[in-house]
Amino acid sequence: VPLHLRTSWDSFYLEMLMIAGLTVYFLNFLAGKNKNCKLATAWLSAHKELLETQFSIVGDDGVAKEVTSGVLMKESENVYTLWCSGRTCVEGMLVELKLLKRQDLINLLLRIFKPASDQVIVKYLGMVQIVKYLGMVQIRKYLGMVQIVMHLGMEQIVRDTQPTKMPETKACLMFCFTIPGKGKTRASDMENLKPLLQLVFYCVDKVSRLQLSREARMKAEKNRQKAEEMFLKAAHTQRQELAQQRREERKRAEKERLMAEEDPDRARKLEDRENRRESKRKQPKMKMMKIKAM
Amino acid sequence: MQQPNANDPKRASKIVRYKAQPAGGPGDDPTPDYMNLLGMIFSMCGLMMKLKWCAWVAVYCSFISFANSRTTDDTKQMLSSFMLSISAVVMSYLQNPQPMQPPW
């Protein structure tokens, strides 16, 4: 066999490179996954005691028949959630640990150009009614190196693609903490985040004791009614447009059927039926009234 | 029953069970779905047009989709996408055992 047609293992260098790349990706996946898991469990062990002083249950997954405790739910390899409930003023607290995608090599390379940080998002759901009147409030502050975004507002409970009335909402208070270090977080740093959770509890107690004046409450109620009216009007217009579209489609389909009809008699019959239907629709609608004989 | 302490915010009677958020909300990361789709497209290209590099890219896309996947995602779909990309690579080499040529 001529030399240039013989293939040796050396000529498969691109394939070797591909396999090496996949191996490196997989090894990084394992390392990143373990690091994120370590950070999440370190956060939970550092904060569990504090959470147990505030909530009756810390870490329920909603799966088992009985209420469970101490379960840190894994949404993905970089997102962990914790549900706490059984406290005054709130229905429950959902803590979301949005860690960096350390398990994805592509994300790791992208972070070289665009550094990002781990985030801890604390969401209080079902807050007391005062929050309903405050509307949407967002505050952005820095506490040392930690960036805090506090969001107070209403969260939609059920997402409906074609809502016919105002969506059902629940008052919620959300805190988003961005951990400094641009991803160089260590398990030992989790202990230092405890003051943030203490701040959260302090804020929730303060917000739940807020009182609005009578005028402010009435103004807020009026604004909400206005918003609801606008929403209903828009929904009504949308429904009317859809109905008009459907009518036009039906008319077009009928016309096409008429054109496609080869038998002239059948075509004439269909046309007559269509004309009778049109004239009936154009006739003014009259109400039937019963007149009692005197 | 023990009366709750005035300073104790815990209320055992106010426990609400966790309700999983429905998938497909605004905060959802679309990366695993896009990568899954891209992987399938590259696999089909690799199989039909006998392009080895397409098949290899499909394997990478499957890996990336798996790494970014959520726990609620269907593993069967991910596995089938991965199998499709592997079969694309194997078929390309069975049909043409020559090594891949670099574009330069």
Side-chain angles (χ1 to χ4, degrees):
Chain A
V1 181
L3 210 76
H4 67 276
L5 288 176
R6 262 186 268 162
T7 50
S8 66
W9 285 112
D10 296 342
S11 49
F12 286 93
Y13 69 94
L14 271 174
E15 281 78 4
M16 302 294 182
L17 213 68
M18 289 289 187
I19 294 171
L22 286 172
T23 316
V24 166
Y25 189 92
F26 187 67
L27 290 172
N28 177 73
F29 169 78
L30 292 175
K33 173 180 132 105
N34 284 335
K35 175 83 194 268
N36 280 345
C37 189
K38 252 193 221 147
L39 288 173
T41 41
W43 184 91
L44 180 63
S45 45
H47 294 82
K48 194 159 184 209
E49 218 176 290
L50 175 63
L51 289 167
E52 280 170 350
T53 62
Q54 298 284 325
F55 291 94
S56 283
I57 49 146
V58 172
D60 176 38
D61 59 5
V63 169
K65 260 192 189 161
E66 295 293 317
V67 172
T68 45
S69 188
V71 176
L72 186 66
M73 296 174 279
K74 187 159 104 167
E75 301 291 319
S76 72
E77 298 299 341
N78 63 302
V79 177
Y80 288 82
T81 53
L82 182 80
W83 173 254
C84 307
S85 188
R87 192 189 191 272
T88 54
C89 315
V90 293
E91 212 174 83
M93 177 180 87
L94 185 72
V95 181
E96 222 177 329
L97 300 173
K98 270 199 171 146
L99 305 169
L100 295 173
K101 285 188 183 177
R102 292 178 174 86
Q103 78 277 11
D104 182 13
L105 189 65
I106 309 294
N107 195 274
L108 201 131
L109 296 169
L110 283 172
R111 270 186 280 126
I112 294 172
F113 305 103
K114 194 181 170 190
S117 300
D118 297 307
Q119 284 185 329
V120 177
I121 297 167
V122 180
K123 215 190 269 187
Y124 277 93
L125 299 168
M127 292 250 353
V128 290
Q129 289 303 297
I130 185 70
V131 177
K132 176 182 161 188
Y133 295 100
L134 291 173
M136 294 262 269
V137 176
Q138 203 182 77
I139 300 166
R140 199 180 284 261
K141 285 257 177 236
Y142 279 90
L143 185 73
M145 293 287 284
V146 179
Q147 190 199 57
I148 309 170
V149 177
M150 187 180 113
H151 179 96
L152 183 66
M154 306 298 285
E155 181 169 313
Q156 219 171 312
I157 305 168
V158 178
R159 288 175 212 284
D160 197 1
T161 45
Q162 300 247 298
T164 49
K165 57 183 179 97
M166 279 287 267
E168 215 181 298
T169 51
K170 263 191 181 170
C172 91
L173 176 60
M174 192 170 89
F175 293 84
C176 178
F177 302 111
T178 306
I179 302 170
K182 293 288 180 216
K184 292 188 185 61
T185 326
R186 289 165 301 178
S188 51
D189 296 336
M190 292 303 172
E191 199 65 42
N192 303 334
L193 300 178
K194 261 163 79 172
L196 300 177
L197 210 59
Q198 283 163 339
L199 166 73
V200 159
F201 295 136
Y202 175 79
C203 285
V204 90
D205 286 331
K206 280 282 177 198
V207 165
S208 61
R209 285 198 210 108
L210 277 175
Q211 296 277 348
L212 269 185
S213 67
R214 200 181 133 94
E215 295 91 33
R217 202 181 274 253
M218 280 174 64
K219 191 174 172 191
E221 201 59 66
K222 212 179 355 174
N223 285 339
R224 278 192 190 276
Q225 265 177 0
K226 218 188 291 180
E228 191 165 348
E229 271 167 34
M230 280 174 62
F231 179 89
L232 288 170
K233 215 187 278 184
H236 181 71
T237 319
Q238 202 182 33
R239 272 201 308 271
Q240 275 190 323
E241 275 173 18
L242 275 165
Q244 178 73 1
Q245 255 175 0
R246 271 197 295 261
R247 255 177 276 151
E248 277 171 14
E249 289 265 343
R250 218 182 306 144
K251 223 185 259 183
R252 209 179 312 142
E254 276 289 337
K255 269 208 179 89
E256 274 172 14
R257 203 155 53 114
L258 208 74
M259 303 295 252
E261 194 58 61
E262 286 177 0
D263 188 5
D265 283 332
R266 255 187 84 97
R268 210 179 319 122
K269 266 198 200 130
L270 276 168
E271 209 175 334
D272 284 339
R273 203 193 303 168
E274 194 58 41
N275 289 338
R276 250 183 281 142
R277 216 182 285 159
E278 271 298 322
S279 57
K280 213 186 238 181
R281 214 181 296 147
K282 288 212 172 80
Q283 236 179 30
K285 289 188 176 71
M286 284 182 284
K287 247 185 171 172
M288 292 265 283
M289 280 172 64
K290 265 193 191 158
I291 301 169
K292 244 186 177 172
M294 296 264 272
Chain B
M1 201 175 92
Q2 216 176 10
Q3 288 297 318
N5 189 353
N7 290 330
D8 186 9
K10 292 196 288 192
R11 297 288 181 268
S13 55
K14 288 185 93 185
I15 289 174
V16 173
R17 295 298 306 271
Y18 173 69
K19 254 191 297 257
Q21 300 284 312
D28 259 0
D29 179 27
T31 311
D33 303 318
Y34 283 152
M35 282 295 147
N36 213 6
L37 183 68
L38 217 63
M40 285 205 228
I41 292 171
F42 275 114
S43 302
M44 297 313 289
C45 286
L47 273 167
M48 287 194 245
M49 298 198 283
K50 297 175 188 151
L51 297 169
K52 291 192 176 88
W53 68 266
C54 272
W56 281 110
V57 169
V59 177
Y60 270 88
C61 287
S62 300
F63 263 70
I64 296 169
S65 172
F66 170 70
N68 287 282
S69 65
R70 298 168 280 266
T71 32
T72 48
D73 278 347
D74 197 3
T75 42
K76 284 195 286 278
Q77 194 175 2
M78 201 110 15
L79 212 64
S80 65
S81 159
F82 184 67
M83 290 295 165
L84 185 67
S85 58
I86 295 287
S87 63
V89 169
V90 168
M91 290 306 290
S92 320
Y93 282 92
L94 279 175
Q95 287 164 350
N96 180 15
Q98 296 298 315
M100 247 194 315
Q101 298 301 318
W104 50 86

